[in-house]
Amino acid sequence: MPEGPSLVISKEALQPFKGKKVIRCTTTANIDAHLFIHKKVVDITTWGKHLLICFPHQTIRIHFLLFGSYLINDTRAITPRLHISFSNGFVNFYTSSIQLIEQPLDDIYDWSADVMNEQWNEKAARKKLREAANREIGDVLLDQQIFAGVGNIIKNEVLFRIRVHPESITGNIPPAKIKALLKEAVTYSFEFLQWKKEDVLKKHWLAHTKKTCPRCHIPFIKKYTGKAKRRSFFCTNCQLLY
DNA sequence: GCGCATGTTAACCA
DNA sequence: CTGGTTAACATGCG
């Protein structure tokens, strides 16, 4: 569930509820479910890994973290963290982080940072990369203020595709590689989206969880890298350390 | 049956 | 105040 493309899938699945009024709402999160009764959903959108259910004056922010899930017109045995019913169906969110947003979304979200958003702005990202010059590129790819929606799978796949070692210092990476990085972060995210929809995502992994480099046929290194200490799978032969 | 993982935040500590 | 580490959350899979 958790990476950006999966959030896009959830957003698309929930579109039938856009424009509908809430009939029933219950939550175990620390927000007042009554705020939304009889209110109309004016939009359902995403920013990175955030799913945003927008009402005229408030927004419910759902973050699936590692284990979150949702069901539409279906229920599991455990109590949902959030349930919302409409005249045309209902949705249940499980084990998710639910927050209430009171500010206008444009005040708090930089839409140009979201790799899945049509407002994604490569130039803005390149500027942020210059400011991140002394950080490891593996950490930088996971930075939601720069690459909102990118998660650990996308990180590993993008770095393998552009042949860059995850522990490379961002400022040392040549401009042509930075250009490739910016392109591939978006391209791979949309391929991820398509493969996820077709339920063939894992089949297309070249690096993530893999034991051997498909190019060099030598063993991948598995290492918890960077300040994020997230799993990196990489080939020390074909992924250059800058 | 154990250990771990597509994530984030808060608490804690030096 | 800062930076770093750890815990917490809670589920499913190999």
Side-chain angles (χ1 to χ4, degrees), chain A residues 10 16 40 48 94 128:
Chain A
S10 72
K40 188 192 274 190
Y94 299 95
K128 292 174 194 165

Side-chain angles (χ1 to χ4, degrees), chain A residues 116-127:
Chain A
M116 307 298 292
N117 195 290
E118 57 181 27
Q119 290 187 52
W120 162 256
N121 186 321
E122 199 179 293
K123 274 192 178 161
R126 188 180 278 111
K127 182 164 180 282

Side-chain angles (χ1 to χ4, degrees), chain A residues 180-218:
Chain A
L181 174 83
L182 292 164
K183 284 271 178 282
E184 201 60 46
V186 174
T187 302
Y188 182 76
S189 293
F190 280 95
E191 288 180 10
F192 182 125
L193 172 63
Q194 205 53 46
W195 290 329
K196 184 83 181 176
K197 283 179 174 175
E198 295 163 6
D199 200 22
V200 292
L201 178 66
K202 281 189 189 183
K203 192 173 89 177
H204 288 275
W205 286 348
L206 298 175
H208 189 72
T209 72
K210 297 297 176 182
K211 299 239 187 289
T212 310
C213 174
R215 282 194 289 253
C216 309
H217 308 292
I218 65 169

Side-chain angles (χ1 to χ4, degrees), chain A residues 12 18 22 24 26 36 66 81-82 85 88 103-104 121 126 130 134 149 155-156 159 161 180 210 224 237:
Chain A
E12 291 175 355
K18 184 173 169 177
V22 173
R24 203 168 83 87
T26 60
F36 312 106
L66 221 44
R81 175 101 343 127
L82 175 68
S85 320
N88 61 340
Q103 307 100 302
N121 186 321
R126 188 180 278 111
R130 283 195 292 270
N134 54 359
K155 177 198 80 176
N156 281 319
L159 290 174
R161 284 171 167 222
K210 297 297 176 182
Y224 292 82
N237 181 51

Side-chain angles (χ1 to χ4, degrees), chain A residues 121-144:
Chain A
N121 186 321
E122 199 179 293
K123 274 192 178 161
R126 188 180 278 111
K127 182 164 180 282
K128 292 174 194 165
L129 288 184
R130 283 195 292 270
E131 287 157 9
N134 54 359
R135 300 167 59 197
E136 289 185 14
I137 194 61
D139 280 335
V140 171
L141 263 171
L142 291 173
D143 186 331
Q144 299 301 294

